[in-house]
Amino acid sequence: MEGDLLDIAKRVAGMAQRGEQVEAYVSRNVSTEVRAYNGELEHLVSASSDGVGIRVIAGERQGFAYTGYLSDDSIAVTLAQARENAVFATADASVSMAEPDGIAAVEMDLLDSGLDSVSTEAKVDLALELERSARHGHRQIRQVDSADYADVISQEAVANSEGIAAYSEHSYCEVSVSVIAGEGSQSQSGSGFSVARGFDGLDLEKAAGDAVHRAVRLLGAGKPATAGYTVVFDPRVTATLLSVVSTALSGEAVTKGRSFLAGRVGEQVMVAGALVVDDPTDARALSADSYDAEGLASRRIVLVEDGRLLGYVYDSTSGARAGHASTGSAVRSGFASTPVAACRAVVLSAGGSSGTDGNVQVSNSGPGGVASGGVARGDHFGAVTSARNSGTVGGDLGDRKPGQNGTSGYGAGEIISAVGDGVYVQSVTGMHSGVNPVSGDFSVGVEGLMIRGGELAEPIREATVASTLQRMLLSIVGIGSDVEWLPANAAGQTIAISGMMLSGN
Amino acid sequence: MLIDPEVLDRVIDHALRNGGEFAEVFAEDRTSMSAVLDDRKVEELVTGTSRGAGVRVISGETTGYAHTADLSESGLMKAAEVASAASRNGSEQGHIRQVALEEAVASNPSIVHVDPSEVAKSRKIDLLARADDAARAGRDPITQVSASYGESKRAILVASSGGRLVEDDQVRTRFSVSCIALGDGGMQTGYETAARTTGFELFDDVEVEDLAAKAATRAVTKLSARPAPSGELTVVLASGGGGVLFHEACGHGLEADHIAKDSSVYVGKVGEQVAGSLVTLVDDGTLGGEWGSYGIDDEGNLPGRNVLIENGVLGDYMWDVERGRKAGRNSSGNGRRQSYRHLPMVRMTNTFILPGQDDPDEIVAQTPYGIFVAQLGGGQVNITTGDFVFGMTEAYLIEDGKITAPLRDANLIGNGPEVLMRIDAVANDFGVMPGTCGKDGQSVPVGCGQPTLRIQGVTVGGTAG
């Protein structure tokens, strides 16, 4: 298999003419998707697709073309189109391809070789079992909207005329389930999932249990009163938030003045103690890869240390624009896309030092004037110790995943307890419509529960929480150790942020 | 024709060899071109092609689907085998003989006068440069402009065991401008787009300078914006800019797959008053030129003008083949898919509220305090609760019946069924906006529209008390 794709990529790169650079990115995905509904197989989709994206730079001008058809003829036409497209681009000394930089790739085993031999029947059975398990998870479950199994084995090869030749392969499996709980005339939905590299790593019980728990606990939800609060984010929400923040750390956004974090290297942009690392060489991350999408070795990048911004992530072109080497941070959304600089496997922790995921609490000793207006008890937060057992309060996430992350528990329970009075956000909507990583404006729809007296209280819906990203990063008052590795470019854990506005009635 | 009809016949036959009531071949050939100007440079010209076919077999409650980029008979036969393998799990066995394929004629409501792929690339580049100049001209705070041109041509073919064989060519042309303005209080953004299912003649009607000026003005205006209020307020939506509200507030909830699964708040409400009597909601894929229009849907059915809510009363849902089949009725022409790699499902086309009687200026004048939303960004809905959000990207306070201070971006949140009942004024103007709708991991182009209208009591998710 490797032979195939890397050979194609190298062959295309070898077609570079004098005075021209050529890069080929070839990918192939083989996937299965199963959905169970009402005790039966609803659909089974077997898919495989491949294609090549070809980039040409000639005379400081870049052109790109792609095809979803890997025949020699199709590749020849695509290369010709990329060349023609380059003619129309503006000359730009910064456009560049990766050149070998001597950094060795970290070898990781990201392909579960057993997945290939799992039968379709076994996959169907798993989805059916997931559906059953969710349906019977609680007496108030009215409906299992969908119960899915999905897997993909992906292969990527990239080669260019400057001597780059890289190949990697990955596998990924997921079960996900969405349920509806009902009580009287009210219905609430909840979803749960489990992800792994191989079939055997999937945890049905967790997926079904999460979905049921999340739907049932929202029953009876009402619209809260408008007020300022400390807000506690569920790990999934935190991952989404970090993912949005990470777009502002892209060298591409920064060099084009499209980031609220542009020009702020060396400044305190997060609360003291916060550490943000982008580490695609951490095999626990589902987005881990030995190489980036331009074929350079992936590397660990410390972006924020003790709350101070250290730098950004770059691909070759945005790096050249900023006078910085590529950080091995090129990503592509497929063979049809050109590479762009982006964070790949972001993890937030409260270690302070950049060594390990340390034990995790943040003292609220950020710079003076950190917004905490209208927040009850938020500023007591730094005093909470991390020595307590997980899950003593609220019976939430910490409860169900003790020890999973190899660190002693400082999870949702402790954070909720320390917040005292606030809002626990289980899920958000409108991240794409209400969060602006240029201006920093932040406003999202939320579902969750009020926190009263250090415990989870009544459920809420049809509300928003709002602030600005700038203020939120400086107002983090708790970072849990309950890190969850999610199918995203950021991991998440329970965090608390003070001084947010909850809008409702 | 993408595939020989005789080959299609044999493939459909093969697809039903394990039983099943329905088999279909969907083939697609797509070419696209885009060009982006950013940071004053034409950065990225991209051309691409993608071609393939998917085979679907429905047997009892089970659908099997497989696709291939190999359009030869052997490639299609292989896909048919994989797709039919699932039907062993289906409840019904036995081969049902297909009806012979008969080619049907579909005419696309959108007429293409100038095939964009025949237009010189230099002319497209010129549009980008003109937009860049226009956005910056006389506006010092503008620090960054990104302009994007895109065109695509999608030829599809659908052949099914019901005997239907039909083709359609779908051409799309779009142009967008996004600007950043820098002021004392930080950066703000503005965006404007034009997108139609027509050819390059789009630019006979649309001046890229106008789009650029709108985007740039939006960003500059927001430099002096104040934080949006928080809490329940009266909201006036300007025509066109707010259609996404109805797409989210009720459109998704009226898709028959959500109804069949009892996951929508609109289950069992046909014939009931679900909105104020001023509200008539239509989904119409037959509007020439609109972004969500087509000649056939991705199951080969003709689009329709489907009145979903009439004077506040729920009339019908939207249907695809599978949901229609189970309910014993026809598809409403709403079966769509992102590409040949995807299963079709119920999707909207162009969804809009019909105009009413009120004067748009009067609606504002008769609003003592509230928010005037000139442009909405995206939105999202929880089908089960009906709660939805949508982002406002250009909004102002209304004070004493007058539009006053600009507001920073924020989401609004509401409950679909409640918001529909709280619409108390609908104007006689109208506008439609192009958008992209995401559902279950698939994106398709749609249109959203409405006249200027007023809603009493929507929660504004700002930070100001």
Side-chain angles (χ1 to χ4, degrees):
Chain A
M1 281 299 226
E2 165 165 2
D4 288 3
L5 299 194
L6 193 56
D7 279 355
I8 294 171
K10 282 180 177 167
R11 204 167 69 235
V12 177
M15 294 175 191
Q17 296 167 352
R18 239 181 123 81
E20 175 187 83
Q21 294 175 295
V22 175
E23 174 200 69
Y25 173 89
V26 191
S27 68
R28 173 176 295 149
N29 291 309
V30 178
S31 63
T32 309
E33 186 192 313
V34 177
R35 173 165 292 177
Y37 177 69
N38 217 1
E40 302 211 51
L41 170 61
E42 179 174 313
H43 68 233
L44 168 62
V45 180
S46 306
S48 72
S49 59
D50 47 29
V52 57
I54 301 175
R55 188 157 63 116
V56 171
I57 300 176
E60 301 185 341
R61 295 166 204 268
Q62 173 173 302
F64 182 78
Y66 66 88
T67 177
Y69 199 54
L70 283 184
S71 71
D72 286 350
D73 285 354
S74 174
I75 287 173
V77 168
T78 305
L79 175 59
Q81 285 176 342
R83 282 182 174 135
E84 191 199 310
N85 287 339
V87 173
F88 293 93
T90 310
D92 179 354
S94 297
V95 293
S96 44
M97 292 183 184
E99 292 175 24
D101 62 2
I103 296 185
V106 176
E107 293 300 321
M108 289 176 282
D109 184 11
L110 304 174
L111 177 72
D112 185 302
S113 51
L115 182 58
D116 212 19
S117 55
V118 176
S119 70
T120 302
E121 286 72 17
K123 295 172 184 177
V124 170
D125 286 347
L126 195 73
L128 291 169
E129 191 187 330
L130 174 67
E131 202 256 351
R132 255 193 319 273
S133 168
R135 181 182 303 279
H136 299 126
H138 194 276
R139 63 179 172 79
Q140 286 170 311
I141 296 301
R142 276 186 180 163
Q143 181 73 259
V144 180
D145 197 31
S146 64
D148 295 354
Y149 166 86
D151 64 37
V152 57
I153 294 176
S154 59
Q155 303 164 290
E156 288 148 42
V158 57
N160 71 25
S161 52
E162 310 307 294
I164 290 285
Y167 172 82
S168 55
E169 51 192 12
H170 321 80
S171 58
Y172 170 80
C173 295
E174 176 183 85
V175 284
S176 57
V177 59
S178 164
V179 305
I180 299 170
E183 172 83 62
S185 63
Q186 197 185 63
S187 293
Q188 291 291 341
S189 59
S191 67
F193 59 88
S194 169
V195 290
R197 295 210 179 275
F199 193 75
D200 297 334
L202 295 172
D203 186 346
L204 285 196
E205 209 174 305
K206 172 187 176 290
D210 268 2
V212 169
H213 180 62
R214 283 167 177 263
V216 169
R217 73 174 173 181
L218 286 184
L219 284 172
K223 195 169 178 172
T226 300
Y229 283 105
T230 293
V231 174
V232 177
F233 290 109
D234 167 276
R236 291 190 209 169
V237 179
T238 303
T240 312
L241 174 63
L242 289 175
S243 196
V244 171
V245 169
S246 83
T247 62
L249 293 166
S250 156
E252 164 80 11
V254 168
T255 54
K256 291 182 175 168
R258 204 169 272 138
S259 158
F260 77 94
L261 293 171
R264 303 197 56 196
V265 170
E267 291 179 30
Q268 191 85 32
V269 298
M270 290 183 79
V271 66
L275 172 70
V276 177
V277 173
D278 184 35
D279 188 6
T281 69
D282 185 334
R284 291 175 299 176
L286 289 154
S287 52
D289 198 323
S290 298
Y291 299 96
D292 80 345
E294 288 187 294
L296 289 176
S298 300
R299 53 210 79 174
R300 180 174 186 273
I301 306 149
V302 180
L303 293 163
V304 175
E305 190 171 30
D306 197 18
R308 274 188 322 118
L309 180 63
L310 299 191
Y312 311 105
V313 297
Y314 297 102
D315 64 345
S316 298
T317 296
S318 68
R321 209 169 270 142
H324 195 290
S326 169
T327 54
S329 303
V331 303
R332 305 190 194 231
S333 51
F335 62 81
S337 306
T338 52
V340 62
C343 292
R344 300 167 60 201
V346 175
V347 184
L348 165 69
S349 62
S353 80
S354 61
T356 54
D357 305 345
N359 228 337
V360 255
Q361 95 204 26
V362 169
S363 61
N364 191 11
S365 57
V370 171
S372 60
V375 182
R377 296 180 59 178
D379 45 355
H380 301 299
F381 205 64
V384 175
T385 68
S386 58
R388 289 197 239 163
N389 291 326
S390 66
T392 51
V393 178
D396 194 55
L397 294 148
D399 215 17
R400 282 176 287 122
K401 295 172 202 69
Q404 180 177 303
N405 307 299
T407 48
S408 64
Y410 182 68
E414 284 71 19
I415 289 179
I416 288 162
S417 169
V419 164
D421 292 302
V423 182
Y424 180 82
V425 172
Q426 169 172 306
S427 65
V428 296
T429 52
M431 267 284 185
H432 64 302
S433 59
V435 182
N436 187 327
V438 177
S439 67
D441 287 325
F442 181 97
S443 164
V444 295
V446 299
E447 288 178 341
L449 301 108
M450 296 304 294
I451 301 171
R452 300 194 190 280
E455 299 195 29
L456 293 178
E458 77 278 10
I460 59 164
R461 51 161 279 270
E462 203 190 335
T464 60
V465 298
S467 180
T468 64
L469 291 170
Q470 293 91 327
R471 207 157 56 206
M472 288 165 70
L473 294 179
L474 287 165
S475 310
I476 297 175
V477 291
I479 301 177
S481 62
D482 50 345
V483 176
E484 285 194 51
W485 299 94
L486 298 161
N489 73 334
Q493 69 268 76
T494 307
I495 64 170
I497 296 178
S498 67
M500 297 198 71
M501 179 60 85
L502 175 72
S503 296
N505 282 321
Chain B
M1 191 157 284
L2 278 168
I3 304 170
D4 186 319
E6 288 181 16
V7 172
L8 289 167
D9 252 327
R10 290 195 288 274
V11 171
I12 289 171
D13 216 26
H14 198 57
L16 289 169
R17 78 199 206 291
N18 288 324
E21 303 87 68
F22 176 85
E24 167 203 79
V25 178
F26 172 85
E28 178 185 51
D29 187 347
R30 187 198 294 256
T31 58
S32 61
M33 188 263 163
S34 65
V36 176
L37 177 144
D38 197 8
D39 202 22
R40 291 188 182 271
K41 298 181 198 81
V42 178
E43 267 199 345
E44 194 164 289
L45 268 80
V46 175
T47 46
T49 57
S50 139
R51 197 182 65 163
V55 180
R56 176 163 65 136
V57 179
I58 302 179
S59 174
E61 298 297 312
T62 300
T63 298
Y65 193 70
H67 65 75
T68 177
D70 177 2
L71 292 188
S72 71
E73 182 163 0
S74 67
L76 293 166
M77 284 295 194
K78 210 174 140 197
E81 269 165 40
V82 176
S84 68
S87 74
R88 281 175 208 167
N89 296 303
S91 57
E92 294 192 26
Q93 291 294 324
H95 183 105
I96 293 174
R97 235 189 125 61
Q98 60 167 309
V99 184
L101 286 176
E102 190 173 336
E103 197 175 342
V105 179
S107 68
N108 196 303
S110 305
I111 306 203
V112 177
H113 293 289
V114 185
D115 181 343
S117 64
E118 312 256 303
V119 174
K121 286 179 182 169
S122 55
R123 285 185 64 195
K124 300 163 188 171
I125 301 304
D126 183 50
L127 294 173
L128 298 174
R130 280 166 47 197
D132 188 41
D133 289 344
R136 295 175 191 269
R139 292 186 194 87
D140 289 340
I142 295 292
T143 55
Q144 195 58 278
V145 177
S146 174
S148 168
Y149 166 86
E151 69 189 38
S152 70
K153 195 192 288 184
R154 179 183 190 236
I156 62 168
L157 172 155
V158 186
S160 70
S161 54
R164 192 167 173 80
L165 171 60
V166 60
E167 291 184 295
D168 190 28
D169 281 341
Q170 300 167 356
V171 174
R172 292 192 150 78
T173 306
R174 64 171 172 79
F175 196 90
S176 63
V177 185
S178 99
C179 298
I180 295 180
L182 178 65
D184 296 338
M187 290 183 284
Q188 288 293 340
T189 56
Y191 179 82
E192 184 64 24
T193 188
R196 296 184 60 82
T197 47
T198 55
F200 203 73
E201 70 273 16
L202 171 69
F203 302 101
D204 296 342
D205 300 334
V206 173
E207 293 293 337
V208 296
E209 284 83 357
D210 290 347
L211 297 178
K214 274 186 192 159
T217 304
R218 210 160 256 156
V220 173
T221 302
K222 279 195 284 186
L223 288 177
S224 57
R226 58 170 87 166
S230 46
E232 261 188 30
L233 288 168
T234 299
V235 171
V236 176
L237 294 178
S239 68
V244 64
L245 186 147
F246 300 97
H247 177 101
E248 303 297 348
C250 53
H252 280 296
L254 298 176
E255 294 166 340
D257 47 352
H258 297 303
I259 300 299
K261 291 193 165 181
D262 197 14
S263 57
S264 162
V265 285
Y266 295 102
V267 171
K269 298 260 173 81
V270 171
E272 288 183 24
Q273 191 84 30
V274 296
S277 59
L278 298 173
V279 177
T280 293
L281 179 74
V282 174
D283 182 82
D284 189 348
T286 70
L287 297 173
E290 292 303 340
W291 197 232
S293 297
Y294 39 71
I296 54 169
D297 72 0
D298 300 323
E299 303 183 299
N301 288 307
L302 302 179
R305 179 182 176 86
N306 298 304
V307 178
L308 305 172
I309 297 172
E310 190 162 17
N311 301 325
V313 177
L314 180 58
D316 199 0
Y317 307 117
M318 290 168 277
W319 304 83
D320 63 3
V321 165
E322 192 195 352
R323 299 300 163 187
R325 207 175 56 89
K326 285 179 178 163
R329 53 166 295 161
N330 289 327
S331 163
S332 57
N334 290 88
R336 305 182 67 185
R337 56 183 121 201
Q338 182 176 318
S339 80
Y340 75 89
R341 298 189 183 91
H342 300 87
L343 268 177
M345 59 181 146
V346 187
R347 304 300 295 261
M348 285 174 258
T349 61
N350 306 295
T351 314
F352 47 87
I353 301 280
L354 294 186
Q357 308 290 327
D358 299 317
D359 178 76
D361 297 333
E362 273 301 299
I363 293 178
V364 173
Q366 288 166 11
T367 304
Y369 184 77
I371 288 187
F372 181 79
V373 182
Q375 190 192 41
L376 285 179
Q380 192 177 346
V381 65
N382 178 332
I383 305 283
T384 305
T385 59
D387 290 349
F388 65 93
V389 293
F390 52 100
M392 42 188 211
T393 52
E394 183 185 356
Y396 305 83
L397 270 185
I398 300 174
E399 294 170 298
D400 297 328
K402 291 188 180 63
I403 293 171
T404 60
L407 300 173
R408 295 183 66 147
D409 292 357
N411 262 320
L412 307 188
I413 192 163
N415 180 266
E418 287 171 15
V419 158
L420 291 181
M421 295 300 246
R422 292 182 190 166
I423 296 172
D424 71 346
V426 178
N428 52 15
D429 54 355
F430 186 70
V432 185
M433 256 183 41
T436 301
C437 168
K439 176 178 171 184
D440 214 359
Q442 294 190 41
S443 296
V444 296
V446 296
C448 295
Q450 36 65 253
T452 298
L453 53 82
R454 182 172 62 198
I455 310 167
Q456 296 291 345
V458 179
T459 297
V460 181
T463 55

